[in-house]
Amino acid sequence: MSTATAARGAHAPALPDWIEHAAAAAAGPAWLQERRRAGLAAFAAAGFPTRRDEAWKYTDLKLVTRRSFGAGIAAAPELPAIEGLDCPSLVFVNGRLAASHGVPQAVGVQPLAAAIAADDPACRELLATIADPARHRFAALSTALFADGVLVDLPAGTVLEQPLRLVFLAAAGDTPVLECPRVLIRAGANSRATVIEHYGAGTGESLSLAVTEVAAGPGAMIEHYRLQESAPEAFHLGVLAARLERDSTLVSHNLSVGGRIARLDLDAALAEPGAHVTMNGLYVVRERQHADSHSRVDHAVPRTSSDQLYRGVLSGKSRAVFNGKAVVHPGAAGTDAQQSNANLLLSPDAEIDTKPELEIYADDVKCSHGATTGQLDANALFYLRSRGVDESTARSLLTFAFADVVLARMPLAPLRRHAEQLVVGRLPDADRIREFT
Amino acid sequence: MATGQQDVEQLVARKYRHGFVTDIESDTVPPGLDESVIRLISHKKKEPEFLLQWRLRAFEHWLTMPEPDWAHVRIAPIDYQAISYYSAPKKKTDGPKSLDEVDPKLLETYDKLGIPLHERARLAGVAVDAVFDSVSVATTFKQKLKDAGVIFCPFSEAVQEYPELLEKYLGTVVPPGDNFFAALNSAVFTDGSFVYIPKGVRCPMELSTYFRINAANTGQFERTLIVADEGSHVSYLEGCTAPMRDENQLHAAVVELIAEDDAEIKYSTVQNWYPGDENGVGGIYNFVTKRGDCRGRNAKISWTQVETGSAITWKYPSCILRGDNSVGEFYSVALTNNLQQADTGTKMIHIGRNTRSTIVSKGISAGRGQNAYRGLVKILPGAEGARNHTQCDSLLMGSDCGAHTFPYMEIGNPTAVVEHEATTSKISDEQLFYCRQRGISEEDAVNMIVNGFCKEVFRELPMEFAVEAQNLLSVSLEGAVG
Amino acid sequence: MLSIKNLHARAGERDILKGLDLEVGPGEVHAIMGPNGSGKSTLAGVLAGRPDLEVTEGTVTYRGQDLLDLDPEERAREGVFLAFQYPVEIPGVNNVYLLKAALNAVRKHRGESELDAFEFLALVKDRMKLMQMGDSFLNRGVNEGFSGGEKKRNEILQMAVLEPALAVLDETDSGLDIDALKVVANGVNSLRSPDRSMVVVTHYQRLLDYIVPDFVHVLSDGRIVRTGGRELALELEERGYDWLRGGANAA
């Protein structure tokens, strides 16, 4: 083991120029420079993953490593419309703040670059401390390279009445662009907020290293949405890492429909009793898309709970990966960890690789997981046909219904409708069923 | 509440019953491994040249391979030069012609193990090949099987008698370079069993091999090859024990099964190698490669294993479902108590159309035992209509043990249906109290509940083994209830 | 048969029984009624030796011996039977297997010979007829996937097979529709005999229309606050429990 690491270190290829350039351009105060250097060193030591890395067994990044990514071009910061959703928004183009709509001064939301420049203590305390650089090499790389992002710092007892929407757009010219959207959320005791991260379609080839860190204080409640509808040429490598204190809750809704290769690592550390995380994930891929959902929940102490529901619909030559893990640490009695993954393959050339894992070191626990891959329920299909619905429409309807089990868990109605339309538009025979959904 | 826990813990600490040593003079080669040792083994076995070359190629390959490190187990470093790769009880004559010539000490050993080899006391309806350290010492019912056309003999005998069958089938399911331990086995294997069931024959009795490690500082590297020709049927059992010794001993076996059209092989294992003591000292490293190939249409291979012994178990009896409509099954009970570790499961590779597989895994963790299920279900694009169902349950007894589940599912065909379910439970105080309120002692209640947990697997075992397995489980759990 | 004096018991940190007295003679049927949380199920649990209940004071004498001294299985073998309010599921363990193990444990304790498979099956089938249970029940796991009614019938079947001297029925009527209730009550009544006593714990008097008690006791805040005949149950049905709580304080 140690010899292998040493060997790799000795022969580690130099970092590609585009990374060196971006790293040289990244600025900040001394404490941040130190974290940037550590991040770059961690990435350099690990290198780009290959399929020999267990965590990347099914996701090949050759398409990424063959390219180089630059600063991109100027573009208009268009806010993608979501019908019925009118809330404070920040728009980023190529990782830099481009527009701000209706964000009030006093709610604790500010651009990350400005917060760092003002030596905001939340940044110094938490930035790059929640996403584990050893487990998430691209989070480490993001730390080295990011230019801007958002700090959401909610004092104790704050309740954000309106959702906060963060839009990230990539605009590439003739050459691919790198963007490093970075979000840090510190939720004080008993605060409540809804945060939407919207990775819009953008233009051209891009690499997004999108990293969000969440620190939830006692009794805090964060409802987090992540809509990933990047351009078909985009590479999206995301990390969302959360640390939850006593009786706090994170509910994550995560829809992945865009990108050539899209990966999200979603980690929750349930660090104190009463903490809870819900992960609702849906991936809908077609053509040659590749979507990879990794999740990990650490039940570190007694009486914490987690609920993971992931579904996927695959058509064309697409491929999807699900790897969900619940770890129950020694002494974490009273843990309740549930995990479910279900997939529909709609084409003979699609492939799903799924691996729901449990690692349990305590006996007083309720843990279960299930994974299924199969077809639509033949009885339901017959039932619809017997009511006069043609088979093709019936299949589309049932496929949508399968996916909608995840989306139905979104409390924010305008966003749910938007998500549903994104999904419908990606199903075969979309036109037949649009009116029903 | 606390009392229930403690009683359960007390229940899991009886002694290993098969830990005695047979005092017999052995012909043992000095520890160490190089080409000359392989040539020596091959020479002692009077092997044909092709087999020697086969071994040497495997050895060369092995030298280039790293030890696997992906399993969820902690292994103390193994010094492959400190192991003796050949040990055989010294023969009084030139090899026993019949059981009457077998050393009485060996017969006595197998009597003590409950496997009487002698004519009068033989297990009814079960033919036994007894393997002692590196060699087969006796095979029962040979004539009766021969009359049915069935070949059942020690591997070393098959090398002399049926070289053409060996050359045709050996290494075709588990190639010599398949993995680190399979490569090592291919280089140094000493004996094992060979079975050939001709076309259309239903083997008239259960076949069984009983493996016994006796000598110190030896490894056991046996090789089993079972070929079921078209339309044939065979049920095969294997059992294993070893003396209690303070050092770890390596057992790296390879089992290859081949089922042609409409053939069926049922392979059952009750593995009770010495598990080490309650402090984790000693015990067998059980690193085994078992794989079956359903080559023909409608072929069926069924693995059933009850793994209670060994310090570390690393095995994944697998099925390659090549023939259309072929069926693979894996039923497993794995128990880890004290400091035992197990990383076990199966691979079901669906290649043919309408292939079906079933996986039922029951893991029981007690003491500080660590128990991992690791499995792969792979549906290739051509496996139209493939089906898999996996049920993977863990029972935890006590708060210091671990139960882990690592199922891989790779699905490349839209008509496949693959289902995986896993649950984790413990013996609840409520269940124990209920049984006790009906007058049943706590120890009996725990055994009853554990056996209930394992029922789906036990009912796959042949009758004689099912009883043995249940007893073994209760012995292995002694002092573990928690 | 059973003599309870000044019984105090707690679950965890919570005191539940606070000085309970009860005398049950041979062949008698005593109903224990009371509001939720009054300690009815705790009393049943203490009699059976539930490990998470702690007796802090008082005595329980059963057929001349100290019941509290015995392990749960010893009490069962001495003839104390608890019909559980929530019978537990034990997956994979056959009903018939549990019954046989239990019966033979009891018989062995009494110095009787163990029943062989034929005798045992004949006995069970006879009792199953009484409880109107089908044969398929035998090979199912203990209470595994049973409906509420099936679980309760199973409890009484076990009682009919084990033939206890003291049966404690804990809310045996809860969750039963009227037809199931009749079957259960019929089973219980057929087991009444001059040398078998019963303690019937219930919240509603409905059960007592079918299992007619000799005595009715009202339990409130861990003590028996009133004792009477069957008519007391009817009065409770009419007036609820509240008036008794006040009465207890006044007394």
Side-chain angles (χ1 to χ4, degrees):
Chain A
M1 187 76 224
S2 55
T3 51
T5 314
R8 189 190 283 161
H11 303 289
L15 289 167
D17 287 347
W18 61 270
I19 291 181
E20 299 282 10
H21 285 146
W31 64 264
L32 180 57
Q33 289 297 4
E34 197 176 305
R35 285 179 210 182
R36 287 190 191 279
R37 269 193 300 275
L40 196 65
F43 183 80
F48 277 96
T50 69
R51 297 191 50 189
R52 285 189 187 168
D53 293 287
E54 179 66 21
W56 295 85
K57 186 178 166 70
Y58 299 113
T59 296
D60 192 334
L61 289 184
K62 274 206 293 287
L63 290 177
V64 174
T65 54
R66 278 195 207 128
R67 287 169 164 75
S68 62
F69 299 87
I73 56 167
E78 267 180 66
L79 188 66
I82 295 180
E83 202 182 320
L85 183 71
D86 181 20
C87 64
S89 310
L90 293 171
V91 183
F92 290 78
V93 175
N94 293 342
R96 292 172 192 277
L97 181 66
S100 170
H101 302 275
V103 179
Q105 287 296 314
V107 296
V109 179
Q110 56 178 317
L112 195 55
I116 291 168
D119 202 21
D120 188 290
C123 296
R124 187 195 284 253
E125 185 192 330
L126 293 172
L127 195 70
T129 66
I130 299 169
D132 179 358
R135 208 151 65 214
H136 304 298
R137 62 188 85 191
F138 289 108
L141 185 57
S142 151
T143 300
L145 307 184
F146 80 91
D148 201 354
V150 180
L151 168 67
V152 180
D153 187 11
L154 305 172
T158 310
V159 175
L160 285 193
E161 299 290 349
Q162 283 190 297
L164 172 70
R165 183 172 171 212
L166 312 173
V167 176
F168 301 98
L169 301 168
D174 295 337
T175 55
V177 61
L178 167 73
E179 60 160 355
C180 300
R182 186 95 189 188
V183 179
L184 174 62
I185 300 173
R186 177 166 76 172
N190 300 312
S191 62
R192 300 175 72 91
T194 297
V195 177
I196 303 161
E197 290 179 25
H198 190 165
Y199 297 89
T203 54
E205 285 191 358
S206 60
L207 171 62
S208 299
L209 305 180
V211 177
T212 299
E213 293 178 292
V214 178
M221 159 80 207
I222 304 292
E223 191 100 26
H224 187 273
Y225 294 81
R226 200 177 194 283
L227 298 186
Q228 189 278 112
E229 49 169 320
S230 316
E233 310 83 26
F235 304 105
H236 183 98
L237 303 177
V239 174
L240 170 57
R243 188 161 52 78
L244 281 81
E245 294 176 17
R246 183 174 295 272
D247 299 326
S248 63
T249 299
L250 171 68
V251 178
S252 155
H253 307 278
N254 155 40
L255 173 66
S256 178
V257 297
R260 175 70 178 81
I261 297 174
R263 156 116 171 188
L264 176 64
D265 282 74
L266 184 42
D267 276 20
L270 305 177
E272 294 185 0
H276 170 83
V277 65
T278 295
M279 298 178 175
N280 301 318
L282 175 65
Y283 38 94
V284 179
V285 283
R286 57 184 174 175
E287 293 163 2
R288 301 194 68 97
Q289 283 185 286
H290 181 108
D292 182 343
S293 305
H294 267 62
S295 71
R296 175 179 172 123
V297 179
D298 281 281
H299 295 266
V301 295
R303 286 196 305 104
T304 59
S305 56
S306 64
D307 179 11
Q308 302 185 46
L309 172 71
Y310 279 82
R311 291 197 164 194
V313 179
L314 291 74
S315 56
K317 291 179 186 307
S318 67
R319 189 164 178 188
V321 181
F322 171 73
N323 186 335
K325 185 168 195 164
V327 184
V328 180
H329 291 259
T335 292
D336 186 338
Q338 310 298 326
Q339 189 187 62
S340 149
N341 172 239
N343 301 284
L344 273 182
L345 295 183
L346 302 181
S347 106
D349 298 321
E351 179 176 333
I352 172 75
D353 299 305
T354 173
K355 184 182 171 204
E357 299 176 75
L358 290 173
E359 234 179 275
I360 299 172
Y361 300 92
D363 67 338
D364 185 16
V365 298
K366 258 172 65 186
C367 297
S368 71
H369 68 207
T372 60
T373 300
Q375 293 84 50
L376 298 170
D377 179 359
N379 289 326
L381 202 56
F382 174 71
Y383 182 84
L384 286 178
R385 294 175 70 190
S386 73
R387 294 292 177 267
V389 181
D390 70 86
E391 183 176 347
S392 176
T393 306
R395 280 186 182 281
S396 295
L397 269 178
L398 291 173
T399 304
F400 176 74
F402 171 85
D404 202 39
V405 166
V406 178
L407 301 182
R409 292 183 163 201
M410 295 182 168
L412 202 56
L415 210 64
R416 185 175 68 239
R417 278 197 301 275
H418 180 76
E420 286 173 347
Q421 290 311 314
L422 283 178
V423 170
V424 168
R426 279 162 173 78
L427 297 181
D429 296 316
D431 294 334
R432 287 172 194 264
I433 61 165
R434 211 177 286 276
E435 58 180 308
F436 295 104
T437 59
Chain B
M1 202 154 285
T3 53
Q5 193 87 351
Q6 284 157 4
D7 292 346
V8 177
E9 272 157 20
Q10 282 160 12
L11 269 179
V12 194
R14 236 170 301 176
K15 287 285 177 202
Y16 186 69
R17 280 184 306 179
H18 300 143
F20 62 89
V21 178
T22 305
D23 180 18
I24 191 160
E25 220 184 318
S26 284
D27 169 15
T28 304
V29 301
L33 180 56
D34 57 22
E35 203 182 300
S36 70
V37 171
I38 292 165
R39 288 182 184 278
L40 178 71
I41 293 171
S42 191
H43 178 75
K44 275 181 182 291
K45 303 226 161 246
K46 305 186 179 75
E47 287 178 353
E49 183 64 17
F50 87 86
L51 200 49
L52 173 63
Q53 292 309 321
W54 194 84
R55 287 174 181 277
L56 291 173
R57 279 197 304 275
F59 179 64
E60 253 174 64
H61 193 79
W62 178 74
L63 289 172
T64 68
M65 300 174 89
E67 265 180 297
D69 62 357
W70 40 260
H72 196 87
V73 293
R74 274 193 298 259
I75 307 173
I78 301 170
D79 181 354
Y80 293 94
Q81 297 304 331
I83 297 171
S84 164
Y85 289 84
Y86 185 86
S87 174
K90 274 205 176 134
K91 293 167 183 171
K92 299 226 160 88
T93 62
D94 199 21
K97 299 285 183 295
S98 75
L99 282 165
D100 299 332
E101 294 171 27
V102 174
D103 189 320
K105 275 187 181 162
L106 288 175
L107 293 178
E108 193 188 318
T109 298
Y110 284 88
D111 268 345
K112 270 163 101 175
L113 294 170
I115 314 287
L117 300 176
H118 215 273
E119 212 63 57
R120 305 167 255 127
R122 278 176 197 173
L123 293 172
V126 182
V128 178
D129 183 20
V131 177
F132 193 85
D133 290 332
S134 300
V135 294
S136 168
V137 292
T139 310
T140 64
F141 289 109
K142 276 171 99 168
Q143 193 52 45
K144 185 168 177 192
L145 290 168
K146 209 166 184 178
D147 294 345
V150 172
I151 300 170
F152 176 44
C153 66
F155 208 96
S156 47
E157 192 178 314
V159 170
Q160 307 304 323
E161 307 280 327
Y162 314 102
E164 69 295 342
L165 282 175
L166 281 195
E167 201 166 1
K168 181 174 173 192
Y169 290 110
L170 183 69
T172 62
V173 185
V174 180
D178 186 80
N179 66 69
F180 184 85
F181 296 110
L184 177 61
N185 172 287
S186 300
V188 304
F189 74 91
T190 43
D191 216 331
S193 299
F194 175 70
V195 176
Y196 178 80
I197 317 287
K199 278 184 192 174
V201 171
R202 198 178 170 88
C203 186
M205 56 177 55
E206 305 270 356
L207 304 183
S208 159
T209 301
Y210 197 91
F211 296 101
R212 173 76 177 168
I213 296 178
N214 188 63
N217 301 316
T218 57
Q220 185 159 6
F221 305 92
E222 83 273 5
R223 193 146 187 130
T224 299
L225 173 60
I226 300 178
V227 181
D229 217 325
E230 282 172 35
S232 68
H233 177 285
V234 63
S235 170
Y236 180 93
L237 323 170
E238 98 189 317
C240 345
T241 58
M244 295 161 68
R245 294 188 189 281
D246 285 346
E247 71 274 13
N248 296 112
Q249 284 180 281
L250 179 62
H251 170 247
V254 171
V255 175
E256 297 180 279
L257 311 182
I258 294 155
E260 301 284 6
D261 285 358
D262 303 302
E264 179 174 345
I265 302 174
K266 188 169 172 55
Y267 193 106
S268 311
T269 303
V270 174
Q271 183 265 106
N272 185 29
W273 295 118
Y274 177 53
D277 69 10
E278 64 276 14
N279 297 312
V281 175
I284 302 293
Y285 287 172
N286 189 36
F287 301 160
V288 172
T289 306
K290 293 183 168 177
R291 197 173 302 153
D293 189 353
C294 285
R295 272 186 199 166
R297 294 172 55 88
N298 309 316
K300 177 174 177 184
I301 289 178
S302 179
W303 299 99
T304 304
Q305 62 173 23
V306 176
E307 304 280 322
T308 59
S310 298
I312 303 176
T313 295
W314 179 99
K315 66 179 276 204
Y316 314 91
S318 301
C319 297
I320 300 168
L321 303 172
R322 209 183 296 274
D324 290 350
N325 310 319
S326 59
V327 175
E329 295 175 339
F330 175 74
Y331 298 95
S332 170
V333 166
L335 182 151
T336 53
N337 190 11
N338 297 320
L339 286 157
Q340 283 177 272
Q341 307 174 68
D343 193 299
T344 184
T346 184
K347 294 188 217 174
M348 294 290 175
I349 313 294
H350 292 253
I351 301 172
R353 298 159 66 93
N354 299 316
T355 45
R356 281 173 290 144
S357 62
T358 302
I359 300 171
V360 177
S361 164
K362 303 282 183 175
I364 301 159
S365 311
R368 284 181 282 163
Q370 297 294 330
N371 206 325
Y373 167 80
R374 184 182 305 277
L376 169 67
V377 175
K378 188 175 178 72
I379 313 285
L380 277 90
E384 202 76 9
R387 295 281 179 275
N388 162 267
H389 184 83
T390 300
Q391 179 70 44
C392 195
D393 298 322
S394 304
L395 187 68
L396 290 131
M397 304 172 75
S399 53
D400 300 325
C401 55
H404 319 297
T405 316
F406 307 108
Y408 295 69
M409 285 157 270
E410 303 176 0
I411 299 146
N413 185 297
T415 63
V417 176
V418 176
E419 296 165 321
H420 173 97
E421 281 177 81
T423 66
T424 302
S425 58
K426 63 174 207 162
I427 296 182
S428 73
D429 298 327
E430 203 54 31
Q431 288 172 330
L432 282 181
F433 177 58
Y434 190 85
C435 292
R436 294 175 73 190
Q437 211 302 305
R438 297 298 181 255
I440 296 162
S441 73
E442 184 145 7
E443 182 171 341
D444 289 348
V446 168
N447 282 331
M448 197 186 274
I449 292 167
V450 170
N451 276 305
F453 175 76
C454 300
K455 195 162 86 177
E456 284 163 276
V457 175
F458 286 164
R459 71 173 172 227
E460 296 297 324
L461 286 172
M463 186 66 97
E464 308 80 13
F465 261 36
V467 175
E468 167 74 9
Q470 290 194 18
N471 293 337
L472 204 53
L473 212 59
S474 66
V475 169
S476 303
L477 272 178
E478 278 173 13
V481 181
Chain C
M1 175 71 68
L2 179 72
S3 171
I4 303 175
K5 291 202 163 68
N6 190 32
L7 184 64
H8 288 67
R10 56 162 62 182
E13 294 298 297
R14 212 156 49 91
D15 292 319
I16 299 179
L17 298 183
K18 301 169 182 174
L20 183 141
D21 298 289
L22 182 67
E23 297 290 329
V24 178
E28 293 174 358
V29 174
H30 291 244
I32 310 282
M33 300 187 70
N36 289 331
S38 59
K40 303 189 298 290
S41 288
T42 301
L43 173 61
V46 165
L47 293 178
R50 192 179 276 282
D52 49 357
L53 297 173
E54 186 193 349
V55 173
T56 52
E57 210 182 324
T59 59
V60 180
T61 312
Y62 165 73
R63 290 170 142 182
Q65 53 182 330
D66 180 357
L67 188 67
L68 302 178
D69 229 22
L70 304 178
D71 283 339
E73 56 268 41
E74 290 170 327
R75 300 183 197 198
R77 292 168 195 172
E78 288 287 340
V80 177
F81 180 90
L82 172 64
F84 285 68
Q85 182 182 3
Y86 303 109
V88 66
E89 299 193 9
I90 311 180
V93 176
N94 275 348
N95 274 300
V96 68
Y97 184 70
L98 174 85
L99 259 180
K100 188 158 181 252
L103 180 63
N104 281 332
V106 170
R107 289 182 65 94
K108 198 171 157 200
H109 181 74
R110 290 185 197 142
E112 297 166 1
S113 64
E114 298 193 356
L115 291 187
D116 68 29
F118 291 107
E119 295 166 321
F120 172 74
L121 217 57
L123 173 72
V124 171
K125 292 212 164 165
D126 177 65
R127 300 297 194 270
M128 280 170 61
K129 231 176 276 161
L130 173 73
M131 297 311 295
Q132 302 184 12
M133 298 168 94
D135 280 3
S136 67
F137 152 86
L138 285 175
N139 295 316
R140 291 166 68 185
V142 174
N143 294 321
E144 199 180 352
F146 281 26
S147 69
E150 283 178 315
K151 285 183 181 171
K152 295 300 174 75
R153 268 194 276 175
N154 191 20
E155 293 295 289
I156 306 305
L157 171 71
Q158 293 181 7
M159 172 173 153
V161 170
L162 297 176
E163 300 183 318
L166 173 66
V168 181
L169 311 184
D170 187 6
E171 307 252 6
T172 294
D173 52 329
S174 67
L176 294 185
D177 63 28
I178 191 68
D179 292 330
L181 182 66
K182 281 181 183 165
V183 172
V184 166
N186 186 35
V188 172
N189 285 330
S190 72
L191 293 167
R192 288 181 79 152
S193 88
D195 44 25
R196 177 171 298 131
S197 309
M198 297 190 190
V199 174
V200 180
V201 171
T202 182
H203 187 81
Y204 301 104
Q205 88 78 42
R206 184 180 71 155
L207 177 67
L208 307 181
D209 288 344
Y210 299 95
I211 303 174
V212 179
D214 302 306
F215 300 93
V216 174
H217 309 274
V218 180
L219 190 58
S220 177
D221 195 26
R223 254 177 293 217
I224 286 177
V225 294
R226 184 165 297 233
T227 294
R230 204 196 148 201
E231 65 290 345
L232 177 57
L234 294 168
E235 198 176 347
L236 284 170
E237 173 86 346
E238 208 157 290
R239 300 178 61 182
Y241 287 109
D242 284 348
W243 61 283
L244 274 173
R245 279 182 199 154
N249 289 342

